[in-house]
Amino acid sequence: MKKGLLLFFSFLILKVYGQEISESPSNKMNIIKTNVTAYAVRNINLSYERAINQWFSINVGFGTMPEGKVPFINAFLKDKDEDRFQNLRVKATNFTVEPRFYLGAGYGKGFYVAPYYRYSKVSSNTFDFYYDFKPVNGVTYQIPLQGTGSTNGNSGGLMVGVQFFLTRSQNLVLDLWIAGAHYGSGKGDFSLSSDFLLTPEMQQQLKKEIENLDIPFVKYTVETNANGARIKVDGPWAGFRSGLSLGYRF
């Protein structure tokens, strides 16, 4: 009788323990998410997070921005300069690898610190550009050019955030990117061509006009010739991250 009761209680303990294990957060190690705030700037994105253990996971993300207007272009170009790029359109892609270190409950829940690597590429359509040529003696007139090109960057950064499980089943996930920043190097090549044969004086003024655009976070050099100009991007590449992602955990 005693042996039977002992076996019975042992069976109950094992059953309860087994249920606790099956309901443990560690049993759901995968999360698929999308940053909903990024859609405001046409960034279609998806990320996948895999928990390796309670405190460590790997998050991999991909984003693409279809061709369209440059987001927040007036934040880094003056109004008179922005008018020169009225039909400029860009498209972009990015790929991010992000190890996460959780400081709270873990298994994808709580505050985390995440160093990350990001690859980015931006390319343009064939756009119109003009500048006002002012001869030493004569009437000022516009010189039209057409431009195109692309640039890419590799950077590393750090982000802090917090992730929540919103439902009792712990399937619905909210990931808040509190703040992140990255820094690295970028390379690119853009060309401007003209149907006019540019004199040395025209070339000199064109070079000065492009250099005076003074685009922030980008270092570039300008070379001009009789057919137009070439802009080489080779220098710092920086960016910031913040947002709100929704996902499904399984």
Side-chain angles (χ1 to χ4, degrees):
M1 182 67 177
K2 289 182 180 180
K3 289 183 178 179
L5 288 173
L6 182 61
L7 289 171
F8 176 73
F9 284 117
S10 298
F11 174 78
L12 286 177
I13 291 170
L14 288 172
K15 187 174 182 180
V16 170
Y17 180 75
Q19 287 177 342
E20 289 177 350
I21 292 297
S22 64
E23 294 171 0
S24 169
S26 64
N27 209 34
K28 298 177 180 179
M29 309 288 277
N30 309 284
I31 305 174
I32 294 178
K33 294 171 285 188
T34 185
N35 180 0
V36 294
T37 54
Y39 289 91
V41 289
R42 307 193 315 278
N43 190 334
I44 302 167
N45 64 93
L46 191 67
S47 65
Y48 168 71
E49 182 177 356
R50 169 71 181 183
I52 306 302
N53 54 39
Q54 183 174 355
W55 57 271
F56 179 69
S57 72
I58 298 289
N59 192 78
V60 178
F62 175 80
T64 182
M65 185 176 71
E67 188 173 293
K69 290 185 177 181
V70 181
F72 313 116
I73 187 172
N74 56 356
F76 52 87
L77 282 182
K78 299 175 182 177
D79 290 340
K80 66 181 183 67
D81 292 329
E82 184 183 349
D83 290 341
R84 302 180 183 186
F85 295 95
Q86 286 185 353
N87 70 334
L88 172 63
R89 299 292 183 268
V90 296
K91 58 183 178 180
T93 57
N94 63 75
F95 175 75
T96 308
V97 179
E98 179 185 295
R100 291 187 170 189
F101 298 89
Y102 282 89
L103 309 177
Y107 293 112
K109 183 179 180 181
F111 283 95
Y112 60 82
V113 177
Y116 63 90
Y117 160 79
R118 168 167 282 198
Y119 169 80
S120 306
K121 182 177 181 179
V122 181
S123 57
S124 77
N125 64 335
T126 300
F127 61 91
D128 295 320
F129 177 84
Y130 73 87
Y131 78 101
D132 294 326
F133 174 57
K134 302 174 182 178
V136 176
N137 297 309
V139 179
T140 299
Y141 58 94
Q142 288 185 355
I143 302 292
L145 301 101
Q146 282 195 326
T148 187
S150 65
T151 183
N152 60 78
N154 295 278
S155 53
L158 182 69
M159 186 172 72
V160 294
V162 60
Q163 189 157 265
F164 305 94
F165 301 156
L166 299 179
T167 58
R168 192 167 186 173
S169 62
Q170 301 187 352
N171 287 337
L172 188 61
V173 175
L174 185 148
D175 185 5
L176 174 61
W177 301 355
I178 297 173
H182 50 274
Y183 183 86
S185 62
K187 288 184 178 293
D189 202 340
F190 290 84
S191 63
L192 292 170
S193 59
S194 175
D195 292 334
F196 292 91
L197 194 63
L198 303 182
T199 65
E201 187 181 2
M202 291 177 175
Q203 294 176 40
Q204 184 179 7
Q205 286 196 22
L206 175 60
K207 185 175 189 295
K208 186 176 180 180
E209 288 286 333
I210 299 172
E211 290 175 342
N212 286 344
L213 291 174
D214 194 26
I215 302 173
F217 306 117
V218 177
K219 183 178 179 181
Y220 59 93
T221 57
V222 183
E223 299 174 357
T224 55
N225 54 53
N227 299 312
R230 184 180 180 187
I231 301 100
K232 293 182 179 180
V233 178
D234 189 0
W237 186 279
F240 303 94
R241 295 176 69 193
S242 183
L244 187 67
S245 294
L246 290 176
Y248 179 76
R249 182 169 175 266
F250 60 97

